[in-house]
Amino acid sequence: MSGLFSAGSWETVWKYRSAFALGFGNTLLTAAFGILLALVLGAVFGLMAAGEKKALRAISRVYVEFIQNTPVLLQLCFLYYALAFSGNSIGIIPTGIIALGIYHGAYMSEVFRAGIESVPKGQFEAARSQGFTYFEEMWYIILPQTIKIILPPMVNQIVNLMKNTSCLYLIGGSDLISLTYSFVTGATTGGAYAPAYLVCGLLFFLMCYPLSKLAGSWEKQLKRREAITAGRRK
């Protein structure tokens, strides 16, 4: 029944398609909120890292170094079981959102920091000479110039976060990987390994590939627009 070309295996997968749909939806939910949290943390700690205050830079450095140098699986398990044993469990999906958001937020922070530091110092001085506050300077002058630089690595982190939702399997999650494993080992559905994992892989592909293509197209448009603007200035 486990063969890729087994009609019976595909019939079983189709019969229980609602399980794959549930896993797909839970994975999208976890990824969407995890991405939002990662972007917020990345922006906050990226601005701290690129700022002039040593204390804020030090806090940002500690966060980035600790998170980047410990496995995301360890962070996820620690957060889940620490909350569970303390009697404050918030559920598997919320725990996954927080853990993945914090983990990828550290990488997003480095993306934002690198983008900000790539902007010529003259842009900062010009903004300050016009009376902009720090946040106005970043929002109106600096961050718009970093988009073409931070977009590719940012999309890479978003795609990685989507794939890392599979880590929820370790804490008994209801994500796509977890439900696929439950399906192939179930008493009534077990055995359809190849079709089940192929469907799971295709669903992950449907999540990640369009985003990568969209980001690539957006990046080309930004570069083309910049080239046109530079040509007009000449």
Side-chain angles (χ1 to χ4, degrees), residues 115-130:
I116 292 170
E117 292 181 351
S118 69
V119 177
K121 297 296 182 182
Q123 296 292 317
F124 294 87
E125 296 169 358
R128 290 167 189 168
S129 68
Q130 295 298 317

Side-chain angles (χ1 to χ4, degrees), residues 24-76:
F24 184 69
N26 287 337
T27 293
L28 280 178
L29 178 67
T30 304
F33 284 98
I35 290 167
L36 288 176
L37 179 57
L39 287 172
V40 170
L41 292 175
V44 170
F45 283 95
L47 290 171
M48 289 168 61
E52 297 178 352
K53 295 185 177 181
K54 292 183 178 180
L56 295 180
R57 291 205 305 270
I59 293 172
S60 176
R61 199 71 250 153
V62 170
Y63 165 66
V64 170
E65 292 296 341
F66 180 78
I67 296 299
Q68 288 189 353
N69 289 288
T70 52
V72 63
L73 293 176
L74 174 63
Q75 296 170 28
L76 176 64

Side-chain angles (χ1 to χ4, degrees), residues 82-124:
L83 290 173
F85 285 116
S86 67
N88 298 307
S89 178
I90 59 176
I92 294 173
I93 290 180
T95 301
I97 290 170
I98 294 172
L100 293 175
I102 291 174
Y103 179 76
H104 287 278
Y107 288 91
M108 290 287 192
S109 172
E110 289 294 89
V111 171
F112 276 99
R113 179 191 60 79
I116 292 170
E117 292 181 351
S118 69
V119 177
K121 297 296 182 182
Q123 296 292 317
F124 294 87

Side-chain angles (χ1 to χ4, degrees), residues 61-204:
R61 199 71 250 153
V62 170
Y63 165 66
V64 170
E65 292 296 341
F66 180 78
I67 296 299
Q68 288 189 353
N69 289 288
T70 52
V72 63
L73 293 176
L74 174 63
Q75 296 170 28
L76 176 64
C77 289
F78 173 80
L79 182 61
Y80 179 74
Y81 290 110
L83 290 173
F85 285 116
S86 67
N88 298 307
S89 178
I90 59 176
I92 294 173
I93 290 180
T95 301
I97 290 170
I98 294 172
L100 293 175
I102 291 174
Y103 179 76
H104 287 278
Y107 288 91
M108 290 287 192
S109 172
E110 289 294 89
V111 171
F112 276 99
R113 179 191 60 79
I116 292 170
E117 292 181 351
S118 69
V119 177
K121 297 296 182 182
Q123 296 292 317
F124 294 87
E125 296 169 358
R128 290 167 189 168
S129 68
Q130 295 298 317
F132 284 91
T133 65
Y134 177 75
F135 292 103
E136 289 175 339
E137 170 188 323
M138 287 294 168
W139 183 257
Y140 294 108
I141 306 298
I142 306 304
L143 291 179
Q145 297 183 62
T146 67
I147 292 178
K148 64 180 181 297
I149 298 171
I150 69 175
L151 187 61
M154 183 180 292
V155 172
N156 286 338
Q157 287 303 316
I158 291 174
V159 171
N160 286 337
L161 188 152
M162 288 180 170
K163 291 186 287 187
N164 280 341
T165 57
S166 59
C167 294
L168 269 65
Y169 162 74
L170 288 180
I171 57 175
S174 55
D175 61 290
L176 184 55
I177 289 288
S178 300
L179 291 182
T180 300
Y181 180 77
S182 297
F183 175 86
V184 299
T185 57
T188 59
T189 60
Y193 302 106
Y197 283 120
L198 178 59
V199 168
C200 180
L202 288 174
L203 289 175
F204 267 106

